Amino acid sequence: MAGVEDWISAPLAVVQGLFSAQRQANGDWEKNVTDYFHDKLQGNRSAASVPCLNDVPLHYLKPNSLVRFRCMVQDMFDPEFYMGVYETVDTNTSARVLHFGKYRDLAESLPQQEVDLDSRRNVTCERQTFYCVPVPGESPWVKDAYTCSSQARACASTSYTPSRQKRSYEEDEDVGPCDTRTSHGLGEPKRLETEAAGLQQNQPSSCSSAPDLNFPLPGEKGPACLIKVYEGWDSFKVNDIIEVYGILSVDPALSAVNEDRDAVSALLDPSDNMETLEEQRAHCPPASLVPRIHSVVTWKLQHNNPLLPGTLQGTEESKLFVSNLLCEVSAVRAELLGFLSHALLGDSLAAEYLIIHLISTVYARRDVLPLGKFTLNLSGCPRNGIFSELLYRILQQIVPAAHYLPMTIENMNKLRFIPHKDYNANRLRSGLLQLSAHTSLLLDETLLEQGQLDTAGVHNVTALGNLITWQKVDYDFSYHRMEFPCNINVLVTSEGRSLLPSDCRVHLQPQMTPPNLEQYMGALLSASLPSLLNKFRSYIGLLRLLDYSISDEITKAVEDDFVEMRKNDPQSISADDLHRLLVVSRLLSLSSGQTTLSREMWLRAKQLEQQRKSRFREQKHVNGNEL
């Protein structure tokens, strides 16, 4: 059996040992492999010792070693068949040997061994392929924190020399596209590899173009990977954040396989084969550009905040973390309020609403209504976008993922917001709104000028409205639209009332006018110690995950209070006001570390709402719509 560290540097040797031992004992070798690596990865120190593809350049990672990758599922491909177990025959001695094909792209055998495709001992299995990209908009502090916590050491893979002959599974048989709807017989073509990469924003699909990484957001960096998943793939969805521990496959022969396909395809009638050729090229990018990871263990992440435990339930360590943070939540909240008040030019009321916006999350859905969302429209912002962009830089320092979108006419008309299906290449082409849960999206409406929205621009604005109102994005599948639920914190900055819907609008009232805004915001960040920023990051991340409830007694008191409010002011108090009050009081309670509503918090929510509304009465351009 492999040594102590061999499970990281030579995981296939571990699998081989378990495969050989369990085949002799007629045991479940696949379950034993999964259990083995699960046990090894228990505890933060063991997991941190595995090299991470997010931090270590690909050329420093040894092929066929165990790696990890923190990513978002951007697309899922059709299930594919592979040879789970295959038998080889020694051409010299006729000796027969069984090999496992799981966790491999290429059949491995000695030079004198040949794969017996007619062997009754061969086992055809099924696996799923995810196309995964780094978490869109992941904040720099998140990347740095994960890198610092990693204990893995990697050495350049140039020192690695394969000692055995490898051949593609497809080298020995005819391969053509198929899916699980076709029964797989011995002489039938079968998809043994389904690899994919997408195209960048607005780049037309082309067989002659080199594949790009299909990132949802422009300017993103990092590797994209094809994740081969062998168990439980039904539990994952597009846009999930996952952490994969698997075996790295970057064999140059993977690209050679694609070239062979192209050569064969070139001999066929282009009119019959062009779509297939384009799909093959899109689904089998060079392994040096898009490496393959054969998943041994894959976990769905609740969040991508490196300062929090992976889950708040279960371990004593998690319970202790939550308990310690809740003990100082009042002090952290006060410091965060001061920090955001300075960022909002001294406006403490706007800072109160910004805090509850930052900790808001969709915690449930009733029919089509998402519960818990709190989209904030911050009006009264200086025109020209400088303030909004600087505010975004501040927020980027305390949330795990964020994106800033200037709402210019050009951006609205030219950028692709909605992901859509490219049937020629059989993959999902990404869009700006393909974001993971808990991403903060700042829409800067102060840059919007007079102009004409074209058809694409109208669709983009409609998509933003649906995102804000229903927390869903309708992906374009050409012949139909498919709803993808999301959980994105949207903050809209505008000069007047936003053109987009919102759950709450706060009019900014600056208490100061810095002569140099950029210098002022930079000084604010410089004066904030990393330890203080970490407290803010932990505070926001934890409160998003806490459960909340309202007792029957408080529910009855709230109902009676609302009835009284309607009696006193029937013209200006509506059902929408009650809904907003309930959301604000819920988030206010959580922001103070309270997981149930108290009368004090209900009264505090009413007070904040009265102060917020009074600002609009002071404005000359009150328009009578929702406040």
Side-chain angles (χ1 to χ4, degrees):
M1 189 55 99
V4 177
E5 297 303 325
D6 287 353
W7 65 279
I8 295 178
S9 62
L12 289 177
V14 174
V15 178
Q16 179 64 56
L18 293 169
F19 172 76
S20 301
Q22 294 302 315
R23 291 292 296 185
Q24 294 172 5
N26 294 321
D28 188 350
W29 70 273
E30 294 180 87
K31 181 178 183 302
N32 287 342
V33 168
T34 304
D35 290 346
Y36 175 90
F37 284 99
H38 261 292
D39 291 342
K40 286 292 185 182
L41 292 169
Q42 291 303 314
N44 293 332
R45 295 182 68 86
S46 296
S49 63
V50 179
C52 183
L53 202 56
N54 300 89
D55 312 325
V56 183
L58 182 60
H59 60 274
Y60 279 104
L61 294 171
K62 180 183 175 183
N64 295 326
S65 64
L66 192 71
V67 299
R68 59 191 164 103
F69 185 42
R70 184 182 67 261
C71 54
M72 184 190 81
V73 180
Q74 192 274 323
D75 196 5
M76 294 179 170
F77 302 141
D78 297 330
E80 63 187 44
F81 294 115
Y82 71 99
M83 295 170 67
V85 177
Y86 60 95
E87 189 173 44
T88 60
V89 181
D90 192 305
T91 56
N92 297 329
T93 65
S94 298
R96 291 180 171 269
V97 180
L98 278 181
H99 305 260
F100 67 91
K102 194 175 183 180
Y103 310 122
R104 287 174 169 155
D105 286 297
L106 306 172
E108 185 170 295
S109 60
L110 297 173
Q112 71 274 17
Q113 292 177 328
E114 290 184 353
V115 177
D116 181 4
L117 297 176
D118 298 322
S119 173
R120 294 188 177 185
R121 302 173 74 188
N122 291 347
V123 180
T124 301
C125 300
E126 187 181 29
R127 64 190 176 195
Q128 178 66 282
T129 303
F130 297 166
Y131 184 80
C132 294
V133 298
V135 178
E138 191 171 67
S139 300
W141 68 266
V142 173
K143 300 179 192 292
D144 293 342
Y146 275 118
T147 301
C148 291
S149 66
S150 177
Q151 300 171 3
R153 293 181 180 179
C155 55
S157 62
T158 51
S159 61
Y160 170 75
T161 305
S163 58
R164 306 175 108 188
Q165 175 187 358
K166 296 180 181 177
R167 63 171 72 97
S168 164
Y169 293 132
E170 297 162 343
E171 200 173 293
D172 298 302
E173 50 200 312
D174 296 328
V175 177
C178 79
D179 57 30
T180 53
R181 291 171 294 184
T182 304
S183 61
H184 172 45
L186 235 139
E188 297 175 7
K190 44 193 178 292
R191 172 176 290 171
L192 296 173
E193 296 171 343
T194 325
E195 343 266 7
L199 294 179
Q200 289 175 346
Q201 290 281 338
N202 300 319
Q203 179 180 337
S205 174
S206 170
C207 282
S208 60
S209 61
D212 63 60
L213 301 182
N214 203 23
F215 290 147
L217 300 178
E220 292 281 284
K221 295 180 180 179
C225 289
L226 289 168
I227 311 297
K228 306 289 185 177
V229 183
Y230 294 88
E231 292 98 13
W233 58 73
D234 290 340
S235 61
F236 301 104
K237 304 185 299 296
V238 169
N239 302 335
D240 279 350
I241 302 179
I242 61 175
E243 187 166 45
V244 182
Y245 292 82
I247 298 168
L248 178 66
S249 177
V250 289
D251 200 300
L254 293 173
S255 302
V257 168
N258 196 44
E259 291 171 4
D260 291 343
R261 287 178 178 176
D262 292 352
V264 172
S265 300
L267 300 176
L268 304 178
D269 184 350
S271 62
D272 295 334
N273 200 55
M274 183 55 68
E275 289 186 2
T276 303
L277 175 60
E278 184 171 348
E279 180 178 347
Q280 288 174 356
R281 289 191 172 182
H283 281 228
C284 192
S288 58
L289 178 67
V290 182
R292 284 65 162 160
I293 298 179
H294 293 264
S295 168
V296 179
V297 175
T298 300
W299 289 315
K300 181 178 176 180
L301 301 182
Q302 276 190 302
H303 58 82
N304 66 318
N305 189 328
L307 303 178
L308 301 184
T311 177
L312 300 186
Q313 292 82 28
T315 67
E316 291 300 321
E317 182 184 359
S318 300
K319 293 176 182 177
L320 182 62
F321 175 88
V322 173
S323 175
N324 289 340
L325 188 54
L326 289 180
C327 285
E328 56 176 347
V329 72
S330 297
V332 175
R333 189 191 193 282
E335 289 178 302
L336 180 59
L337 181 63
F339 177 78
L340 293 179
S341 295
H342 280 91
L344 295 172
L345 307 178
D347 190 340
S348 59
L349 178 65
E352 287 275 8
Y353 277 92
L354 186 53
I355 286 178
I356 62 177
H357 160 76
L358 289 173
I359 66 170
S360 65
T361 185
V362 177
Y363 63 87
R365 291 179 187 268
R366 299 281 167 80
D367 296 323
V368 296
L369 184 66
L371 304 180
K373 72 184 182 73
F374 193 72
T375 297
L376 180 64
N377 173 207
L378 191 61
S379 62
C381 296
R383 190 170 178 80
N384 68 22
I386 294 176
F387 171 78
S388 300
E389 186 171 0
L390 292 174
L391 177 61
Y392 164 75
R393 292 182 191 174
I394 294 285
L395 297 181
Q396 192 182 30
Q397 292 296 320
I398 57 176
V399 296
H403 182 62
Y404 169 71
L405 178 60
M407 288 183 63
T408 62
I409 292 293
E410 183 180 15
N411 283 345
M412 293 296 100
N413 288 339
K414 291 187 176 180
L415 293 179
R416 184 174 64 246
F417 285 22
I418 304 172
H420 76 273
K421 181 76 171 183
D422 182 343
Y423 287 96
N424 289 332
N426 191 23
R427 54 94 171 96
L428 184 67
R429 187 182 292 188
S430 63
L432 280 172
L433 297 184
Q434 188 175 10
L435 301 171
S436 60
H438 306 306
T439 300
S440 293
L441 178 63
L442 194 153
L443 304 177
D444 185 359
E445 210 175 282
T446 65
L447 293 172
L448 191 61
E449 297 178 346
Q450 287 188 349
Q452 184 69 39
L453 287 176
D454 59 19
T455 303
V458 172
H459 287 163
N460 284 338
V461 172
T462 301
L464 289 175
N466 286 335
L467 166 66
I468 291 170
T469 304
W470 308 111
Q471 282 292 312
K472 69 177 180 106
V473 180
D474 295 329
Y475 288 18
D476 183 4
F477 282 75
S478 294
Y479 309 106
H480 67 283
R481 299 265 172 163
M482 186 177 294
E483 291 184 3
F484 280 74
C486 54
N487 187 359
I488 297 171
N489 294 61
V490 183
L491 173 64
V492 186
T493 57
S494 59
E495 188 179 19
R497 184 187 183 87
S498 172
L499 301 175
L500 296 168
S502 65
D503 297 303
C504 181
R505 179 163 74 104
V506 177
H507 195 80
L508 186 67
Q509 286 189 349
Q511 305 300 305
M512 62 182 79
T513 308
N516 188 318
L517 196 56
E518 190 165 0
Q519 223 172 52
Y520 170 81
M521 293 290 202
L524 174 62
L525 275 179
S526 300
S528 304
L529 296 174
S531 58
L532 180 62
L533 292 176
N534 281 342
K535 286 183 180 180
F536 297 161
R537 296 158 180 167
S538 299
Y539 170 89
I540 292 170
L542 174 64
L543 298 186
R544 285 176 174 176
L545 302 175
L546 288 182
D547 293 327
Y548 173 85
S549 62
I550 305 179
S551 67
D552 293 340
E553 180 184 354
I554 292 296
T555 300
K556 181 68 168 59
V558 166
E559 290 174 351
D560 293 344
D561 194 17
F562 182 70
V563 170
E564 194 66 29
M565 291 165 62
R566 287 292 297 264
K567 284 182 181 178
N568 296 334
D569 193 359
Q571 300 300 318
S572 60
I573 303 296
S574 66
D576 287 339
D577 291 300
L578 173 61
H579 176 73
R580 188 185 304 108
L581 269 172
L582 287 171
V583 174
V584 170
S585 60
R586 172 183 181 272
L587 294 171
L588 265 180
S589 299
L590 288 172
S591 74
S592 300
Q594 301 175 20
T595 56
T596 187
L597 181 61
S598 63
R599 180 164 181 81
E600 291 74 24
M601 281 300 165
W602 172 252
L603 295 176
R604 175 62 177 152
K606 287 175 59 178
Q607 182 185 23
L608 284 180
E609 279 293 276
Q610 289 170 359
Q611 292 176 12
R612 182 183 71 86
K613 290 182 178 182
S614 68
R615 289 193 175 184
F616 295 105
R617 300 189 187 99
E618 297 168 5
Q619 303 298 319
K620 295 180 180 179
H621 54 274
V622 173
N623 55 17
N625 291 330
E626 176 203 356
L627 296 176

